[in-house]
Amino acid sequence: MTIVDLRSDTITHPTPAMRRAMAEAEVGDDVFGEDPTVRRLEEMAAERLGKEAGLFVASGTMGNLVSLLAQCGRGDEVIVGDQAHTYMYEQGGMAALGGIHPRVLKNRPDGTLDLDEIVAAIRDPNNPHFPRTRLITVENTHNRCGGTALTVAYMQALGALAREHGLLLHVDGARIFNAAVALGVTERALVADADSVTFCLSKGLAAPVGSVVCGSRAFIAEARRARKVVGGGMRQAGVIAAAGIVALEQMVERLADDHANARALAAGLAELKGIQVEAVPVRTNIVYFNIVRPDMNATQLTARLAEQGVRMLPVGPRRIRAVTNYHVTAEQITRALAVLRAILA
Ligand SMILES: *Cc1c(COP(=O)(O)O)cnc(C)c1O
């Protein structure tokens, strides 16, 4: 029985081209700035995102953390969505390690933050009672808001707001390439207004390890220092960066296949009794749905699915997440739906 693994796009294994590139990678000590493969990946990433410089980091969490550490001091405040990965899933690293105070606004269902609410949340810098508002962070695509994509128009409006109020803008773009492909725009256009961006190589792009942070040369120099203090200075990291180069060269356009598979999955789920699919403005590779029958909850349903080789992630009492990825074919989506139909019958 082949397993249909829809738990996450992080379960992807490196492609044969990545394995070859890793085996043959030219390497050096990257803490001395001497790993040519890491430098090439950083330059490629910066070029693609329209930024001056890039920094290879171990994970998306590290990328977000060093971006905030580089731009905010103790007691500074960051405006962040209540559904954001940086707020929900990173152990409160900005506060725990940076002394940075999160100012949490409610994410709207489309993953955005309301611009008027942001303005209302900005502190008076002359009042000594308040922390100083320093930075706004948004997520694109937005995982917990159904994998939906924030548009170029929204990012431009947000950028204008940030500039007007003298604030920095960070984009947690773990899946920025999914957003670009789904919207039919360049990733560069999506982050043009951002001072800093993190994206993951190890999700839909199928590299085994790593993320890249991009921004101005001065920002990256600070982020590089921050990476060292959190233990992220890696030595012959070209071995893993090589897979990241292949990811950028070969794995971006095919994300459209993952999106088509997710649309097919959502359409099939919508026809099943007892299932409610969560709608999104822009479908990427993530589908959330709810099991609404009284005799079965999310844990029970995903356990039944797993017995038949279909893996999905329960993320609430009734809420389940399915994420299409490089290893999931259109036929497997059909099979997953057939298994689900049989369980619910
Ligand atoms: C996965 C993810 C991260 C963190 O990435 P890791 O590499 O798992 O640390 C950050 N933000 C978002 C939106 C993510 O989905």
Side-chain angles (χ1 to χ4, degrees), residues 59-61 64 85 90 139 172 174-175 200 203:
S59 68
T61 301
N64 287 329
H85 195 283
E90 298 181 9
E139 186 171 314
D172 176 0
R175 296 186 181 84
C200 288
K203 291 186 172 168

Coordinates of all heavy atoms in Angstrom, one line a residue, residues 59-61 64 85 90 139 172 174-175 200 203, ligand 1:
S59 N 16.2 27.2 9.5 CA 14.8 27.0 9.5 C 14.0 28.3 9.3 O 14.6 29.4 9.5 CB 14.4 26.3 10.8 OG 14.5 27.2 11.9
G60 N 12.8 28.2 9.1 CA 11.9 29.3 9.0 C 11.8 30.1 10.3 O 11.8 31.3 10.4
T61 N 11.7 29.3 11.4 CA 11.7 29.9 12.7 C 12.9 30.7 13.0 O 12.8 31.8 13.5 CB 11.5 28.7 13.8 OG1 10.4 28.0 13.5 CG2 11.5 29.3 15.2
N64 N 12.7 34.0 10.9 CA 11.9 35.0 11.5 C 12.5 35.6 12.7 O 12.5 36.8 12.9 CB 10.5 34.4 11.9 CG 9.7 34.1 10.6 OD1 9.8 34.8 9.6 ND2 8.8 33.1 10.7
H85 N 2.2 32.3 12.4 CA 3.2 31.3 12.9 C 4.2 32.0 13.9 O 4.5 31.4 14.9 CB 4.0 30.8 11.6 CG 4.8 29.6 11.9 ND1 6.0 29.6 12.6 CD2 4.5 28.3 11.6 CE1 6.4 28.3 12.7 NE2 5.5 27.5 12.1
E90 N 6.2 29.7 17.5 CA 7.7 29.9 17.6 C 8.1 30.1 19.0 O 9.1 30.8 19.3 CB 8.1 31.0 16.6 CG 7.8 30.6 15.2 CD 8.2 31.6 14.1 OE1 8.9 32.6 14.4 OE2 7.8 31.3 13.0
E139 N 2.1 37.3 7.2 CA 2.5 35.9 6.7 C 1.8 35.7 5.3 O 0.7 36.0 5.1 CB 1.9 34.9 7.7 CG 2.3 33.5 7.5 CD 1.8 32.6 8.7 OE1 2.0 33.0 9.9 OE2 1.2 31.6 8.4
D172 N 6.8 37.0 6.8 CA 7.1 35.6 7.0 C 6.5 34.9 5.7 O 5.4 34.5 5.6 CB 6.3 35.0 8.2 CG 6.5 33.5 8.4 OD1 7.2 32.9 7.5 OD2 6.0 33.0 9.4
A174 N 7.2 31.9 4.4 CA 7.6 30.5 4.4 C 7.1 29.9 3.0 O 7.9 29.1 2.4 CB 6.9 29.8 5.5
R175 N 5.9 30.3 2.6 CA 5.4 29.8 1.3 C 5.2 30.9 0.3 O 4.2 30.9 -0.4 CB 4.1 29.0 1.6 CG 4.3 27.7 2.4 CD 3.0 26.9 2.6 NE 3.2 25.7 3.4 CZ 3.2 25.7 4.7 NH1 2.9 26.8 5.4 NH2 3.4 24.6 5.4
C200 N 11.0 29.5 3.1 CA 11.4 28.1 3.3 C 11.8 27.4 2.0 O 11.0 27.4 1.1 CB 10.3 27.3 4.1 SG 10.1 27.9 5.8
K203 N 9.9 23.2 2.4 CA 8.4 22.9 2.4 C 8.1 22.4 0.9 O 8.6 21.4 0.5 CB 7.6 24.1 2.9 CG 7.9 24.2 4.4 CD 7.0 25.2 5.1 CE 7.3 25.1 6.6 NZ 6.7 26.3 7.3
Ligands
LIG1 C1 6.8 26.3 8.6 C2 6.6 27.7 8.9 C3 7.5 28.5 9.5 C4 8.7 27.9 10.2 O1 9.5 27.1 9.5 P1 10.4 25.9 10.2 O2 11.4 25.7 9.1 O3 9.5 24.8 10.4 O4 11.0 26.5 11.4 C5 7.3 29.8 9.7 N1 6.2 30.4 9.2 C6 5.2 29.7 8.5 C7 4.1 30.4 8.0 C8 5.4 28.3 8.3 O5 4.5 27.6 7.7

